[in-house]
């Protein structure tokens, strides 16, 4: 079997690069901002997360992804410190504002959210780096739920590094010369998120409007070639439910549907169990791809951590040693000392 690097290289060294896919994430539930900009500002603190994913660890040149995201709420007055016991997030799982809506339920004010993300993804000689800024507005629907509408925009740099290519038979002259070609492309994402403290449903569309870009060479070796790349819109629909079993245990089933133009619909089915709002574990099934083991801990009101391991089920399973992913979260300005996130599970 040829190594993944050779397969990817051959695909990329045609006149037109046919597709660029968003990175894959197994712990998107821990940081939904990666796929939906409408979640920015959903919590009561500044939510900072960094993640690293090493996919198909036995392959040279296999995908690796690194990201840093941060978002926070603006003018969010729907919680006060009255009656809140430090370190116990369960005590604030219901609105505390005294005002009432027409149906008698507590009124939940609207608020804004802003965020920023930096994502780096590399597969063999191909890499992309995105820097995006996001904005969302959270609209009260009932006393216990809100609808958030959000968008993000920024730039993505695509790079093809010929020095990382090794083709033995009839190599393209551009490959022999080495060097890099790069392209810059505007990126626009939109999303919506309807949520309460017990459930959520969201939809988003990423990489909209701008689909074709032209590579530019920084050497004379590749200047005679027309290098064109394409990105395809990505569509996501997700939903989840938090079911409290007793004072200590809760379970969270969730699902994610994904659609990329020119590709079939795929889906993730997830189930997590949380003990005392501190320790969680679970599993995911990604159709025709992997079974994922999940494990994490909300260490304190400042730090949480998650780890996942993908057991490959596709044709790559004979060579792949699985996929490792780790996510570390920091909750700054956490004035209520929340341990377990209230809306992103």
């Amino acid at each position: 079997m040829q190594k993944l690097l050779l397969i990817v290289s051959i695909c990329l060294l045609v006149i037109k690069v046919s597709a660029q896919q968003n990175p894959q994430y197994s712990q998107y539930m821990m940081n939904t901002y990666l796929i939906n900009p409408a979640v920015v500002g959903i919590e009561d603190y500044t939510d900072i997360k960094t993640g690293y994913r090493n996919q198909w660890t036995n392959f040279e040149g296999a995908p690796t992804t690194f990201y840093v995201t941060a978002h926070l709420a603006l003018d969010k007055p729907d919680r006060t410190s009255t009656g809140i016991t430090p370190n116990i997030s369960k005590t604030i799982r219901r609105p505390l504002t005294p005002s009432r809506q027409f149906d008698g339920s507590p009124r939940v004010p609207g608020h804004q959210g802003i965020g920023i993300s930096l994502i780096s993804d590399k597969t063999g000689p191909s890499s992309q780096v995105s820097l995006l800024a996001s904005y969302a507005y959270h609209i009260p629907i009932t006393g216990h739920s809100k609808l958030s509408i959000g968008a993000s925009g920024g730039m993505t740099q695509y790079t093809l590094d010929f020095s990382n290519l090794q083709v033995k038979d009839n190599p393209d002259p551009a490959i022999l010369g080495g060097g890099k070609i790069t392209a810059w492309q505007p990126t626009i994402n939109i999303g919506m998120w309807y949520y309460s403290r017990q459930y959520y449903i969201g939809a988003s569309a990423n990489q909209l409007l701008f689909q074709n870009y032209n590579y530019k060479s920084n050497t004379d070796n590749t200047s005679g070639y027309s290098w064109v790349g394409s990105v395809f819109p990505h569509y996501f629909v997700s939903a989840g439910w938090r079911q409290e079993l007793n004072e200590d245990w809760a379970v969270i089933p969730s699902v994610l549907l994904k659609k990329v133009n020119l590709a079939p619909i795929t889906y993730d089915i997830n189930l997590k169990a949380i003990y005392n709002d501190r320790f969680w574990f679970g599993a995911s099934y990604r159709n025709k791809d992997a079974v994922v083991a999940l494990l994490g801990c909300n260490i304190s009101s400042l730090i949480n951590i998650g780890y996942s391991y993908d057991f490959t089920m596709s044709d790559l399973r004979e060579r792949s040693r699985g996929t490792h992913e780790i996510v570390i979260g920091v909750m700054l300005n956490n004035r209520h000392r929340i341990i377990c996130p209230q809306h992103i599970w």
Side-chain angles (χ1 to χ4, degrees):
M1 175 185 274
Q2 295 292 332
K3 290 186 177 181
L4 177 65
L5 174 58
L6 181 58
I7 298 173
V8 173
S9 301
I10 294 174
C11 294
L12 289 171
L13 285 176
V14 293
I15 294 178
K16 180 174 181 178
V17 180
S18 62
Q20 284 282 353
Q21 300 298 316
N22 281 346
Q24 179 79 265
Y25 304 105
S26 292
Q27 295 187 70
Y28 64 89
M29 305 87 72
M30 192 172 175
N31 190 8
T32 313
Y33 179 26
L34 293 167
I35 61 174
N36 195 326
V39 303
V40 299
I42 198 170
E43 298 288 356
D44 287 347
Y45 46 81
T46 300
D47 190 353
I48 301 174
K49 284 191 171 66
T50 182
Y52 175 76
R53 179 178 175 86
N54 185 2
Q55 190 164 328
W56 303 330
T57 54
N58 199 34
F59 283 112
E60 181 182 356
T64 57
T65 304
F66 172 80
Y67 69 79
V68 177
T69 64
H71 62 94
L72 71 156
L74 301 177
D75 304 322
K76 186 178 181 182
D78 57 323
R79 292 197 181 123
T80 68
S81 59
T82 304
I84 295 179
T85 304
N87 291 323
I88 301 178
S89 60
K90 292 179 181 179
T91 59
I92 58 172
R93 289 195 179 279
R94 53 181 62 88
L96 297 174
T97 50
S99 57
R100 299 280 170 170
Q101 298 193 136
F102 67 91
D103 61 356
S105 59
R107 187 176 188 275
V108 181
H111 70 277
Q112 304 172 80
I114 56 174
I116 190 169
S117 63
L118 175 65
I119 304 172
S120 174
D121 186 57
K122 179 176 175 61
T123 303
S126 176
S127 63
Q128 61 185 69
V129 178
S130 299
L131 180 62
L132 305 176
S134 304
Y135 173 84
Y137 188 76
H138 299 252
I139 307 166
I141 302 298
T142 72
H144 303 277
S145 65
K146 288 183 177 181
L147 174 65
S148 176
I149 306 295
S152 62
M155 297 294 294
T156 299
Q157 182 191 51
Y158 300 99
T159 302
L160 186 58
D161 187 352
F162 290 99
S163 64
N164 289 333
L165 297 177
Q166 297 178 0
V167 181
K168 295 182 180 179
D169 298 326
N170 299 320
D172 193 304
I175 301 174
L176 296 176
K180 297 180 180 180
I181 54 176
T182 60
W184 288 89
Q185 178 77 343
T187 301
I188 295 178
N189 308 323
I190 61 173
M192 59 79 63
W193 195 260
Y194 181 68
Y195 65 96
S196 73
R197 293 183 179 91
Q198 284 73 44
Y199 60 85
Y200 67 84
I201 181 169
S204 61
N206 296 350
Q207 295 185 170
L208 297 177
L209 300 184
F210 304 98
Q211 296 188 25
N212 296 319
Y213 56 88
N214 296 315
Y215 279 107
K216 293 184 179 179
S217 173
N218 60 359
T219 66
D220 294 333
N221 300 317
T222 57
S223 59
Y225 293 81
S226 175
W227 300 92
V228 180
S230 297
V231 294
F232 298 109
H234 290 54
Y235 304 97
F236 302 90
V237 176
S238 57
W241 175 273
R242 177 175 175 127
Q243 179 63 51
E244 304 283 350
L245 300 180
N246 53 44
E247 288 294 323
D248 295 321
W249 286 96
V251 294
I252 303 170
S254 63
V255 63
L256 173 70
L257 301 179
K258 298 173 285 186
K259 179 68 172 73
V260 181
N261 282 8
L262 305 182
I265 295 176
T266 61
Y267 59 85
D268 292 31
I269 300 175
N270 319 292
L271 181 64
K272 290 174 58 177
I274 301 178
Y275 174 73
N276 201 30
D277 272 354
R278 283 189 177 271
F279 306 98
W280 56 267
F281 60 91
S284 297
Y285 171 72
R286 186 181 306 121
N287 70 310
K288 300 180 181 180
D289 185 24
V291 172
V292 184
L294 305 165
L295 183 67
C297 178
N298 300 316
I299 298 174
S300 69
S301 59
L302 178 64
I303 299 176
N304 50 63
I305 187 170
Y307 169 77
S308 64
Y309 180 82
D310 294 22
F311 298 88
T312 305
M313 297 180 62
S314 67
D315 293 339
L316 297 175
R317 63 182 178 274
E318 295 181 2
R319 292 288 304 275
S320 172
R321 293 180 181 173
T323 298
H324 301 273
E325 184 176 324
I326 187 169
V327 179
I328 299 175
V330 177
M331 300 180 287
L332 296 182
N333 194 28
N334 189 358
R335 61 189 184 278
H336 299 311
R337 302 180 68 184
I338 297 169
I339 294 177
C340 181
Q342 301 295 289
H343 299 295
I344 299 297
W345 311 313

